[in-house]
Amino acid sequence: MTDPNLVYVYAILRRTPGAVAAATGLRGVAGDPIHLVEPTDPASPLAFAVGHVLAADYGEAPLKAHLDDLDWMESTVRSHHAVVAALVARGDAVLPLRLATVYPDEHHARQALDTRRAYFLSLLDRLTGHVELGVKIYAAPDITPPEPDTDAGQAAPTGLGVGRAYLAIRRRRQRRNEEAWRTVAQAAAHLTRTAGTLAVDRVAHTPQRGSLAGPAPGTNVGNDAYLVPADRVDAFRTGVLAAAEGIPGLRVEVTGPWAPYSFALQPDPVMGP
C-alpha cells in the first residue's frame, strides 16, 4: 500500500543536543510534530528537520493546483517560516530549504543526507554566523508637468496647430522623465555596489510588480538579498541607508535579518520507490 504521507523537510542542521531541543515541541505546516531524521552513516554530523504531510496535498499534482490558492499558500509559507525561524533562534547554523521540499519517506531522506553530505556541509560552513538582509530600491522621480501658463507667454511657431503643440509639450515632459529615471538608475546602481562592499554575497531577485510590490509608492527597481555576517547587521543597514540619503526620487527599504533562504540551494528530492 502506498504511504499517504510524505516527509516534508524544513532545514538541514548539524546533529547536536541543541538541535534536538530546538525541534522538540515545534509543529509544521500540517500541525505534525517536527523531529530530526538522521543519515544512515553514523559518522555524518547532519540531520534533516522534518514533519509529515499528506501526499494528497503535497504531491506534485496537488501542489501545483494549490499554487493558485493564495490563502493556502500564505498559511503554508507562514508555518514553514515559523519552523525555520525557531531553529535559527537557537543560534546554530541552519540551512533552510525551500517551500514544499518533500521526499516519499524517511528512507529516501536519509539517502539524500548520505549522498549529498559534502555539499550540505560546505553550505552549512559558509552560512555559519551569517544572516540574510533584503534591500528594496524604489524609484519615484518627482516629475512635475509644466504649469499651465509655462508656454502661454511664448509665441507659438508659425503653423503650429493645437495637436502639434500638445505633442511638443508631451515630448518635453518625456525628456524630463527620461532624465529623472536615468539619474535614479545611476543612483540605484551605485547603491547596489555600496551594499555589495558591506556583504559577503548578493542574490538579485526579480523586481516586484503589481500586488507583489505591496503598498509602497514608486516602482521597485531593485530587489536584492545580501549575505551579511550576523555581527555586521547594524553596520550594513546604516551604510545602505546612508548611501541613499539626499538622492531625489530614490527610496530604500532594508528588511531582515532572515534565515539565509536566498543562499541555500534546494536538494533534489528522490521521488522514486
Side-chain angles (χ1 to χ4, degrees):
M1 178 180 295
T2 303
D3 190 339
N5 293 323
L6 299 174
V7 174
Y8 186 115
V9 186
Y10 295 86
I12 304 169
L13 60 170
R14 289 185 174 85
R15 192 172 71 247
T16 64
V20 174
T24 301
L26 295 180
R27 290 188 175 271
V29 297
D32 196 71
I34 303 302
H35 64 283
L36 300 187
V37 167
E38 301 178 3
T40 57
D41 180 1
S44 174
L46 297 174
F48 275 148
V50 310
H52 289 94
V53 293
L54 291 174
D57 283 327
Y58 288 88
E60 184 176 355
L63 186 59
K64 287 181 179 179
H66 280 310
L67 294 179
D68 294 327
D69 185 341
L70 295 182
D71 290 337
W72 187 92
M73 286 296 297
E74 181 179 1
S75 175
T76 300
V77 169
R78 288 183 182 276
S79 297
H80 178 102
H81 177 67
V83 171
V84 173
L87 296 173
V88 170
R90 293 296 298 239
D92 294 333
V94 172
L95 184 63
L97 300 186
R98 295 173 184 170
L99 193 72
T101 299
V102 297
Y103 290 91
D105 50 44
E106 293 192 1
H107 170 72
H108 285 89
R110 291 189 179 94
Q111 283 187 324
L113 283 172
D114 287 335
T115 58
R116 307 194 73 186
R117 171 182 172 179
Y119 173 68
F120 290 150
L121 281 174
S122 67
L123 284 176
L124 271 175
D125 289 342
R126 180 170 180 262
L127 298 182
T128 297
H130 294 78
V131 295
E132 177 175 328
L133 291 172
V135 175
K136 293 185 178 182
I137 305 175
Y138 293 89
D142 186 14
I143 305 170
T144 305
E147 295 296 329
D149 61 349
T150 299
D151 300 300
Q154 301 179 9
T158 302
L160 186 62
V162 174
R164 292 178 61 192
Y166 172 73
L167 290 176
I169 292 173
R170 285 193 61 182
R171 283 194 292 270
R172 285 196 292 271
R173 291 177 180 173
Q174 184 177 354
R175 284 195 294 270
R176 284 193 292 269
N177 183 70
E178 290 173 349
E179 291 171 0
W181 276 90
R182 277 195 295 270
T183 299
V184 168
Q186 292 170 356
H190 172 71
L191 182 64
T192 298
R193 289 192 295 270
T194 299
T197 65
L198 301 171
V200 173
D201 200 1
R202 164 181 171 254
V203 171
H205 295 299
T206 302
Q208 296 175 326
R209 296 288 184 266
S211 60
L212 292 177
T219 301
N220 182 210
V221 297
N223 181 29
D224 298 344
Y226 292 86
L227 188 64
V228 179
D231 60 357
R232 297 288 295 166
V233 168
D234 290 340
F236 178 90
R237 181 178 286 108
T238 299
V240 169
L241 294 178
E245 286 182 0
I247 302 176
L250 191 78
R251 186 172 59 82
V252 174
E253 291 181 357
V254 180
T255 62
W258 317 106
Y261 285 99
S262 298
F263 304 90
L265 298 181
Q266 180 177 359
D268 299 322
V270 181
M271 297 299 294

